[in-house]
């Protein structure tokens, strides 16, 4: 069937930004387009759940335009700080904005690609995505969604039949094109580029676009936009911590101004509460280590303030930036309480509980996923030992926010540690066996229901 007429609401508002914000591009002509995974849950929210597989591949593997949305894909222009070094040569080098749609809640969503071919911003890259990279992005985004982290959703994964050379995977390796559904693709780096080019008019226009289209607010006040970004990114940092997630590449071009997490490359989940745990092999200094993510994200928000400076005085921007720690603290407490399955009491009691849990997790090295599984709405068992006595006593004071009666709680904790990811990939690589992948996604979704 075609798009669902009740839910399909195409948009093209990105065109109001003007030609200086993007470059029209075409998708690569892939030798194959084999549907590997479609996110029917996300698709239903934008009226695409009713497409049959053939139509799906035509749109999300061959990139036939979506009716009423963009006529041509647009590679977005942006700059960014990569590991704190400014790079003015970024931009969508292997992706584009393919379509815009309203979701069920009226939010403006982008369908963006990864691995769809070369663009003016590819530099020396092939514009491609490895199938393993695509599988990893599905797993990360599903896991984060289940763990209540604001995230882009992986919408589609289609294998494209090419052999890619990579130095971080055994090569040649299989290729894929991925589509993600996200609440805009305006990055901090999108603003940085305009500041770098001294394009004040563009800055003002982008500020108004972000406020209007992504936050539903009138006007073009850069201080208001920064305030919203500080709030959303502080919450994102807090949710990463409660999830035990290490994004790995928190560069300013990978930070969406909606505070929605996206772009999953060398991510890992931390097995234990180790603030120094690093995801990316190329992050030698641990800049984006588990425990340094709040600081890294705050630093990124600061770069947005710098970019907005041509529009407004420094003082009000600094005042907004300075709110980050005070927003982060209650957000991380709330996020950890949520994962513990507890209702809040007073701010002091909540903070005391979370500090004690963090301390015990750190010194005992208990697995993060195991601990939260065991502690959800009940005290951790005696086998945890006396180091947990203080945490147990505090936990007992907080009423459960949900019953522990979903069948998920009768099994074992679903985690997504590197060995598990590698095992899922191994089955695909060795035997083209997608069963572990599909089973895992089903288990993650069951966990999401159990936690909700
Ligand atoms: P990332 O680290 O994935 O956020 O990418 C950083 C920059 O490199 C972005 O401008 C990407 O579009 C670009 N890039 C990454 N991989 C490739 C590739 N294989 N071909 C072309 N551009 C790429
Ligand atoms: Mg990126």
């Amino acid at each position: 069937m075609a798009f669902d007429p009740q839910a399909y609401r195409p948009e093209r508002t990105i065109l109001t930004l003007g030609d200086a914000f993007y470059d029209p591009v075409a998708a690569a002509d892939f030798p194959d387009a084999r549907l590997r995974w479609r996110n029917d849950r996300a698709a239903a929210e934008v009226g695409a759940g009713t497409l049959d597989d053939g139509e799906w591949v035509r749109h999300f593997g061959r990139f036939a335009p979506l009716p009423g949305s963009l006529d041509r894909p647009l590679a977005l222009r942006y700059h960014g700080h990569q590991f704190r070094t400014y790079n003015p040569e970024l931009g969508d080098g292997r992706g584009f904005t393919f379509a815009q749609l309203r979701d069920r809640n009226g939010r403006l969503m982008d369908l963006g690609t990864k691995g769809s071919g070369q663009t003016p911003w590819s530099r020396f890259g092939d514009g491609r995505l490895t199938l393993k990279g695509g599988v990893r992005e599905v797993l990360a985004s599903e896991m984060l969604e289940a763990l209540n982290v604001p995230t882009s959703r992986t919408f589609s994964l289609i294998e494209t039949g090419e052999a890619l050379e990579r130095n971080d995977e055994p090569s040649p390796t299989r290729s894929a094109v991925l589509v993600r559904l996200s609440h805009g693709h305006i990055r901090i780096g999108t603003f940085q580029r305009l500041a770098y080019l001294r394009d004040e008019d563009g800055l003002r226009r982008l500020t108004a676009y972000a406020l209007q289209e992504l936050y539903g607010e009138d006007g073009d006040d850069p201080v208001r936009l920064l305030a919203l970004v500080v709030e959303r990114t502080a919450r994102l940092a807090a949710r990463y911590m409660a999830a035990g997630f290490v994004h790995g590449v928190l560069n300013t071009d990978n930070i969406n101004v909606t505070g929605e997490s996206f772009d999953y490359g060398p991510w890992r989940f931390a097995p234990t509460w180790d603030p120094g745990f690093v995801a990316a092999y190329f992050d030698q200094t641990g800049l984006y280590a588990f425990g340094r993510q709040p600081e890294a994200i705050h630093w990124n928000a600061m770069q947005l303030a710098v970019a907005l400076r041509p529009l407004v005085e420094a003082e009000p921007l600094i005042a907004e930036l300075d709110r980050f720690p005070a927003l982060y603290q209650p957000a991380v407490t709330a996020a950890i309480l949520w994962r513990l399955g507890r209702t809040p009491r007073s701010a002091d009691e909540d903070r005391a509980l979370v500090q004690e849990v963090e301390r015990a997790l750190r010194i005992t090295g208990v697995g993060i996923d195991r601990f939260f599984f065991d502690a959800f709405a009940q005290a951790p068992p005696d086998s945890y030992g006396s180091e947990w006595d203080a945490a147990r006593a505090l936990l007992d004071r907080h009423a459960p926010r949900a019953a522990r009666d979903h069948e998920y709680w009768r099994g074992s904790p679903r985690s997504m540690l590197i060995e598990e990811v590698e095992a899922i990939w191994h089955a695909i690589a060795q035997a083209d066996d997608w069963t572990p992948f599909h089973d895992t996604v089903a288990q993650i979704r069951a966990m999401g229901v159990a936690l909700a």
Side-chain angles (χ1 to χ4, degrees):
M1 234 179 75
F3 289 95
D4 173 2
Q6 302 298 321
Y8 181 69
R9 295 169 63 192
E11 287 282 357
R12 41 197 294 163
T13 56
I14 194 159
L15 296 174
T16 63
L17 283 173
D19 293 343
F21 284 77
Y22 41 69
D23 298 86
V25 292
D29 186 13
F30 296 113
D32 196 7
R34 189 166 304 204
L35 180 58
R36 291 304 190 183
W37 190 71
R38 52 182 275 177
N39 189 340
D40 280 315
R41 182 166 70 177
E45 292 172 24
V46 292
T50 45
L51 295 178
D52 65 35
D53 284 354
E55 291 165 323
W56 186 279
V57 168
R58 207 166 63 79
H59 289 301
F60 307 122
R62 300 293 181 193
F63 298 100
L66 296 197
S69 188
L70 301 175
D71 298 329
R72 295 184 293 180
L74 302 174
L76 302 185
R77 301 179 182 177
Y78 55 83
H79 292 176
H81 277 93
Q82 297 180 303
F83 291 87
R84 307 239 158 135
T85 301
Y86 195 76
N87 187 347
E89 298 190 329
L90 297 173
D92 278 338
R94 55 168 166 174
F96 47 63
T97 296
F98 170 56
Q100 294 186 297
L101 302 166
R102 294 269 161 206
D103 73 7
R104 212 182 259 152
N105 303 316
R107 291 195 311 166
L108 179 66
M109 306 300 288
D110 289 354
L111 287 173
T113 62
K114 193 170 186 177
S116 48
Q118 288 174 314
T119 76
W121 311 106
S122 299
R123 293 173 288 165
F124 303 106
D126 60 6
R128 304 306 202 263
L129 171 69
T130 68
L131 182 62
K132 183 179 185 183
V135 165
R136 282 177 51 87
E137 181 142 343
V138 175
L139 295 172
S141 57
E142 286 288 324
M143 196 69 184
L144 292 176
E145 183 179 352
L147 291 171
N148 206 26
V149 178
T151 179
S152 69
R153 261 99 62 82
T154 307
F155 195 78
S156 169
L157 183 65
I158 289 177
E159 186 168 359
T160 46
E162 296 180 319
L164 305 181
E165 293 297 329
R166 289 291 184 274
N167 49 28
D168 55 359
E169 280 184 42
S171 297
T173 188
R174 291 154 72 176
S175 65
V177 65
L178 176 146
V179 177
R180 71 164 81 100
L181 179 68
S182 65
H183 189 204
H185 270 94
I186 307 299
R187 309 143 192 264
I188 289 177
T190 316
F191 284 87
Q192 289 182 285
R193 172 179 164 273
L194 298 166
Y196 180 94
L197 298 176
R198 302 178 191 281
D199 181 357
E200 280 187 35
D201 178 58
L203 271 175
R204 212 167 276 117
R205 209 183 308 177
L206 188 62
T207 301
Y209 179 89
L211 281 169
Q212 180 68 57
E213 303 298 341
L214 303 175
Y215 284 107
E217 295 194 5
D218 291 334
D220 62 0
D221 179 4
V223 178
R224 178 62 187 151
L225 178 63
L226 183 67
L228 291 164
V229 174
V230 166
E231 285 165 18
R232 297 297 180 98
T233 55
R235 186 177 69 181
L236 173 62
R239 301 277 175 96
Y240 274 168
M241 296 308 287
F245 184 71
V246 189
H247 180 284
V249 200
L250 292 176
N251 293 335
T252 56
D253 55 304
N254 284 340
I255 303 292
N256 189 326
V257 295
T258 57
E260 194 184 72
S261 169
F262 79 114
D263 207 357
Y264 302 111
W267 61 270
R268 288 196 191 194
F269 282 89
T272 62
W273 201 273
D274 170 8
F277 179 81
V278 173
Y281 68 89
F282 47 82
D283 185 5
Q284 276 115 357
T285 65
L287 180 65
Y288 300 141
F290 178 49
R292 294 184 70 186
Q293 294 181 112
E295 165 202 330
I297 292 173
H298 189 188
W299 190 90
N300 288 338
M302 198 182 311
Q303 301 317 308
L304 177 61
V306 172
L308 293 171
R309 219 3 226 105
L311 301 183
V312 64
E313 291 306 315
E315 284 75 30
L317 294 171
I318 293 167
E320 293 305 333
L321 277 177
D322 284 349
R323 293 166 62 223
F324 190 98
L327 290 163
Y328 171 76
Q329 271 314 324
V332 76
T333 298
I336 290 178
L337 267 185
W338 179 87
R339 202 170 171 198
L340 287 164
R342 305 303 157 126
T343 54
R345 283 170 65 89
S346 68
D348 285 349
E349 284 172 286
D350 297 350
R351 194 172 334 108
L353 167 63
V354 165
Q355 277 174 2
E356 187 50 40
V357 162
E358 261 188 69
R359 190 193 67 86
L361 273 172
R362 190 161 29 79
I363 64 169
T364 62
V366 169
I368 293 175
D369 303 289
R370 178 85 245 170
F371 167 73
F372 280 110
F373 184 90
D374 290 340
F376 190 94
Q378 65 178 19
D382 291 342
S383 60
Y384 271 68
S386 57
E387 280 146 323
W388 288 87
D389 287 350
R392 265 193 213 98
L394 293 173
L395 269 166
D396 278 342
R397 295 201 212 147
H398 288 257
R401 70 167 169 82
R404 209 173 183 278
D405 56 5
H406 189 278
E407 67 164 341
Y408 170 74
W409 301 112
R410 291 191 287 280
S412 48
R414 181 64 255 187
S415 49
M416 196 49 61
L417 304 179
I418 189 66
E419 308 78 47
E420 298 170 293
V421 176
E422 290 296 323
I424 291 163
W425 172 247
H426 188 79
I428 296 167
Q430 296 300 308
D432 208 27
D433 177 6
W434 288 77
T435 318
F437 170 81
H438 288 290
D439 289 352
T440 300
V441 172
Q443 289 160 14
I444 294 170
R445 290 187 173 190
M447 175 180 75
V449 173
L451 287 171

